[in-house]
Amino acid sequence: MGKVTGFLEIDRQVGKYQPASDRIRHFREFTIPMSDAEVTKQAARCMDCGIPYCHGPTGCPVHNQIPDWNDLVYNNKWEEAIRNLHSTNNFPEFTGRVCPAPCEEACTLNLEDAPVAIKTVEQAIADKAYELGFIAPQPATVHTGKKVAIIGSGPAGMAAAQQLGRAGHEVHVYERESKAGGLLRYGIPDFKMEKNFIDRRVEQITGEGVTFHYGANIGVDIPVEKLIAEHDAVLYCGGSETPRPAGIPGVELHGVYDAMPYLVQQNRRLGRENIESVAWAADPILAGAKHVVVVGGGDTASDCVGTAFRQGAVKVTQLDIRPQPPEKEDKLAVWPFWATKMRTSSSQAEGAVREFQVATLEFVGEDGQLIGVRCCEVDERRQPIAGTDFIIKADLAFIAIGFSGPLTDGVLNELEDKLTLNVDRRGSTNVVANDKDYKTSVDKFWTAGDVRRGQSLVVWAIREGRQAARAIDEALMGSSVLPR
């Protein structure tokens, strides 16, 4: 514990944002970095609790040793801090930017609404490590002769590839797209995380002996059975990409789209890639000078809001069927778990109109073109309230109500008679495997990430990739020194 009285003497501070009027003019990150001295002061606020809920089951999914590296930062031991952080998290620069920080919700100081700025310190450690040259390839010194294939290069696939490569296995990552990252690259907007951070990690992982194969659509261009036959183990990290069906009349109108094609297109533009390769929507989707409605209240919906503002939307309205949550939670009833309370994302703060406890009844069109969205208020059972209908003007509408599982035209289609799948109460289809050995019903075939657990956070994908790597290493070698 660096400073015993730090939490009493130092106020919580996090990185400030550029003003909304400035940041909507570009797609770059807009958080103003804090100085090393400011970060050190924030690290000094850590209380070194007897039971640190921040990295327990209620806090960090990868079990970051948060009090330890807060103390190291306070003592200006940046190299030791990144070494400690990397022992649990392969990509802290990702999570330091896009994680919602359940660790801060679980912080003891959150009982007073002033948790340690854990996410800010984490990002600072990773960025400082790159600045000082502490992050470099760590190739294995002993090679096992075992060959592992990984399907998908999202955070789960990348984490598993790095762990297995360092264990001495020959690792091949097969990616459908032209670049690595999965939805981390193509779904999350650049203003939340610029893609050079992914490129730097790919360069490091490649330097550790891992081979990336791009434009390789497994189950479509390359049979899964071929991969299984040619490798000692195959890990499926295909993600959760199938949009959840909305069942709203009028979805066929021009101007109504699922959220992901819109976000993928914009990320491809910024990455100077061909947008016509987006299978879901070949035509350009642009919000400039339009009234936009976003159906859904989650992170993907918020990403659509921020992207629309940056493209020049006239007005953006976000519809959420859930009731407006309270401004403040009951700490004694909820802490240290994630609380349901009013949260405003940076994109929503840029001027979005938010409608709560509202159902989307119909997309209204004229000559095949969207002109409005018919809505109504709902009761606590989400049933329409008579006489509350209203129409919102809309030239463009995005449906962002989540994902129902992996795409079915590749791996699942080829292995449908062999692979055990699970359909949950919301109709989501996931590949069955437990979180101990991550083994599927197909021999030599493992799975991890959103394709197993359903849509989730980047930090959960990293955790699953790391744990699956440990399970595979143990299965191939009889034992493993990789951490779980």
Side-chain angles (χ1 to χ4, degrees):
M1 184 173 182
K3 188 173 179 58
V4 177
T5 56
F7 69 97
L8 295 172
E9 300 170 8
I10 303 167
D11 292 333
R12 170 183 162 89
Q13 297 290 334
V14 295
K16 301 294 190 295
Y17 292 160
Q18 292 176 2
S21 58
D22 293 339
R23 66 182 189 249
I24 62 171
R25 299 176 185 273
H26 62 79
F27 279 89
R28 301 183 303 277
E29 292 182 13
F30 50 79
T31 302
I32 301 170
M34 296 171 66
S35 68
D36 290 353
E38 291 171 322
V39 172
T40 298
K41 288 176 66 177
Q42 291 307 305
R45 297 186 66 243
C46 183
M47 299 172 68
D48 194 20
C49 304
I51 301 177
Y53 288 97
C54 59
H55 65 78
T58 57
C60 181
V62 293
H63 302 299
N64 280 336
Q65 299 167 44
I66 294 164
D68 294 17
W69 44 254
N70 272 325
D71 178 66
L72 291 168
V73 169
Y74 174 73
N75 288 290
N76 284 307
K77 295 180 179 180
W78 293 94
E79 186 170 10
E80 291 180 41
I82 189 61
R83 193 181 306 124
N84 185 298
L85 186 46
H86 273 154
S87 71
T88 56
N89 185 355
N90 295 66
F91 315 122
E93 68 275 25
F94 299 172
T95 51
R97 286 173 165 81
V98 303
C99 186
C103 52
E104 294 189 12
E105 290 284 305
C107 177
T108 301
L109 286 174
N110 191 39
L111 288 167
E112 297 294 331
D113 294 312
V116 175
I118 300 169
K119 181 177 173 180
T120 298
V121 177
E122 180 180 29
Q123 179 183 335
I125 293 172
D127 291 348
K128 188 73 171 177
Y130 271 112
E131 178 190 329
L132 298 177
F134 295 150
I135 299 178
Q138 301 175 32
T141 55
V142 178
H143 298 281
T144 65
K146 301 294 184 180
K147 192 175 179 183
V148 181
I150 297 175
I151 303 171
S153 66
M158 287 178 64
Q162 184 161 61
Q163 295 297 95
L164 288 166
R166 290 176 175 178
H169 304 303
E170 180 185 340
V171 181
H172 294 264
V173 180
Y174 294 86
E175 170 54 51
R176 180 191 64 212
E177 305 296 339
S178 57
K179 294 181 181 179
L183 291 186
L184 193 65
R185 178 183 295 275
Y186 293 106
I188 293 176
D190 276 35
F191 57 80
K192 289 177 70 173
M193 190 186 83
E194 295 177 14
K195 304 309 180 279
N196 62 295
F197 298 107
I198 303 173
D199 296 334
R200 292 198 299 196
R201 283 298 179 181
V202 170
E203 183 179 352
Q204 181 198 26
I205 296 169
T206 302
E208 294 170 352
V210 174
T211 303
F212 286 82
H213 304 268
Y214 299 112
N217 195 350
I218 305 302
V220 177
D221 303 327
I222 302 172
V224 184
E225 297 285 5
K226 183 174 187 292
L227 246 61
I228 295 174
E230 295 178 352
H231 296 80
D232 297 290
V234 177
L235 176 61
Y236 180 30
C237 299
S240 182
E241 299 182 73
T242 302
R244 195 178 299 283
I248 302 171
V251 292
E252 74 284 350
L253 292 169
H254 183 69
V256 180
Y257 300 94
D258 286 313
M260 202 47 63
Y262 177 55
L263 298 175
V264 171
Q265 271 198 11
Q266 183 56 36
N267 282 332
R268 286 187 182 278
R269 284 192 194 95
L270 294 173
R272 302 181 184 277
E273 295 186 61
N274 182 6
I275 68 167
E276 293 179 0
S277 61
V278 179
W280 301 300
D283 296 331
I285 311 172
L286 296 166
K290 293 180 180 178
H291 289 75
V292 178
V293 171
V294 181
V295 180
D299 291 337
T300 302
S302 184
D303 292 343
C304 289
V305 170
T307 300
F309 278 129
R310 282 158 181 75
Q311 290 183 346
V314 174
K315 182 180 180 181
V316 181
T317 305
Q318 185 177 357
L319 307 179
D320 195 333
I321 198 169
R322 298 169 298 183
Q324 182 169 334
E327 290 291 333
K328 182 173 167 53
E329 74 275 31
D330 180 353
K331 299 289 186 185
L332 295 180
V334 179
W335 181 89
F337 297 96
W338 184 263
T340 299
K341 63 181 176 181
M342 187 66 175
R343 302 174 192 270
T344 301
S345 71
S346 60
S347 293
Q348 292 163 340
E350 289 161 3
V353 176
R354 302 172 70 183
E355 297 281 356
F356 289 97
Q357 213 160 341
V358 165
T360 306
L361 300 178
E362 177 188 12
F363 295 111
V364 181
E366 189 174 278
D367 298 326
Q369 173 66 47
L370 176 73
I371 61 170
V373 179
R374 188 165 70 88
C375 312
C376 73
E377 296 177 13
V378 296
D379 59 24
E380 63 276 4
R381 298 189 307 277
R382 299 188 178 183
Q383 297 302 308
I385 298 174
T388 63
D389 291 25
F390 60 97
I391 292 180
I392 301 173
K393 178 181 178 181
D395 309 298
L396 198 58
F398 300 115
I399 302 171
I401 57 174
F403 303 90
S404 63
L407 297 178
T408 58
D409 63 351
V411 173
L412 297 191
N413 184 53
E414 183 179 338
L415 298 180
E416 61 181 342
D417 295 331
K418 301 179 180 179
L419 205 57
T420 302
L421 304 177
N422 174 59
V423 180
D424 66 18
R425 61 185 179 84
R426 294 189 66 192
S428 296
T429 303
N430 303 319
V431 179
V432 173
N434 64 48
D435 61 358
K436 296 294 186 291
D437 61 17
Y438 291 87
K439 191 85 169 60
T440 71
S441 55
V442 176
D443 188 40
K444 296 168 57 178
F445 198 73
W446 284 258
T447 189
D450 288 4
V451 71
R452 189 198 74 85
R453 65 177 288 115
Q455 65 175 79
S456 191
L457 305 176
V458 169
V459 68
W460 273 106
I462 294 172
R463 170 192 169 124
E464 296 226 339
R466 287 170 61 89
Q467 293 189 341
R470 159 80 186 220
I472 291 171
D473 186 41
E474 198 165 23
L476 296 180
M477 305 304 295
S479 63
S480 178
V481 296
L482 293 176
R484 253 187 71 82

